[in-house]
Amino acid sequence: MNSRKTARSALVSVFSKDGLAPIVQKLDQLGITIYSTGGTEKFITELGIDVIPVESVTSYPSILGGRVKTLHPKVFGGILNRQENEGDVAELEQYEIPQIDIVIVDLYPFEKTVASGAPEQDIIEKIDIGGISLIRAAAKNFKDVLCVSSMQDYGEFLGLLHDKNGESSLEDRKRFAAKAFNVSSHYDTAIFNYFNSDHGIAALKFSETEGKTLRYGENPHQKGSFFGDFNAMFDKLHGKELSYNNLLDVDAAVNLMSEFFDDKPTFAILKHNNACGIATRSSIAKAYKDALAGDPVSAFGGILISNTKIDKPTAEEIHKLFCEVVIAPSFEEDALAILKGKKNRILLVQKLFELPKTLTRSCLNGALAQDRDYITDSKDQLEVRTKSTPSEAEIDDLIFASKVCKHTKSNTIVLAKNGQLCASGTGQTSRVDALRQAIEKAQSFNFDLHGAVMASDAFFPFPDCVEIAHEAGIVSVIQPGGSIKDQLSIDYCNEHGVSMVFTGTRHFKH
């Protein structure tokens, strides 16, 4: 069997005409017969290129408002016939079906229509039927047909036409077929997820069409890849390629800073997915200095993120620290010039972008999925459960601490004072251990915990935590509540003048 094929005909049916002109002009130059329909046919005709309407092949017009154009045996027979099969060739002749060697399709933009907030009827009309069917048929019959399934592949296909003058190898066609099934499976996944937005059907469909091989995974002996459109979230201005661990830390940083989107200038430093320093101040330079003061040791090699533009004074301070990544909504030009002084330092401009509503992770021989934790504890949700009521300044600190706590590995305790993280106990098997770790760490960096507040990601089953915190100087506590022994902690606070508020919302993070 001859694996090399010279194309003599092409069916072109696309939604977007961008980039199509050079292709049809080259097809025409090579003497390849072009079939088309609807808007694509009109576009090709206006280029002054001969095109055969599909309707003249099928003897059927486009019907149902354009819903049915190419769905016909004379079209699909021309695509699906096996050219080495004598019976198939005979049937083509018997039913006067033209052979089709190339299929070029660009599907209706279903995902873009959903993202635009269009009404349901408009979304439904953007579910492509004919195009997806053409793609599957042509890709299935890759031994004889070359399928171009997306305008993203126009450049590669045009290069192939120029280099081989209409000829393709089996390897070429199989490569394009793989691309085609990638397009069709992703398209169907998007449609299913739209219809199953309430998760009524217990099925998980996840598809990313863009991916990148990383230097390695979590460790050098592990392979690693990232799947997603990184450029939709960030403009990378400088530095080396991001590693697997960099990406995990960037994800943690972005999620944490999303809590402070509309707040005063806030700066955070993260290490191994947890904040080791964060502060809110009147200027971003002051916020950075106080975030660094939270743990200047752990900050070495960390991920830095700001909720506002990084200016020159801030950049001058950052430049003194070895850090892997700096993220901000923007940078002053003078700040960029300073920060680019380290060739490997990664500088990212974060764009406005909605994070996925569903979180997934591998588990056993399958996967776990859950809604993103969208609840941010706020002043109007707080329920004072003690005789003593926190002051306005203490409430601000409680909310600040709660936001940090939500994005710290459980079990966790967060200590804060005057809009600054004093210390946190992270990822401990005991809440008491997390508290002791936080107190010891705060004291090691000379924080005065008298007047500080404490946040816990879950309830206290015993009063030991509030007792230890009070002895260290803590004056107010925020926690979800919900323990059958809540009253024990409340009683201790009442006896010692400590205020405590309940939020009603647990924020475990594993």
Side-chain angles (χ1 to χ4, degrees), residues 363-381:
C363 181
L364 300 175
N365 62 344
L368 288 170
Q370 66 172 348
D371 294 338
R372 178 175 295 280
D373 184 356
Y374 277 112
I375 295 178
T376 297
D377 297 331
S378 59
K379 294 180 181 181
D380 58 357
Q381 295 173 325

Side-chain angles (χ1 to χ4, degrees), residues 273-284:
N273 307 155
N274 294 305
C276 58
I278 180 170
T280 297
R281 292 291 181 262
S282 59
S283 73
I284 200 62

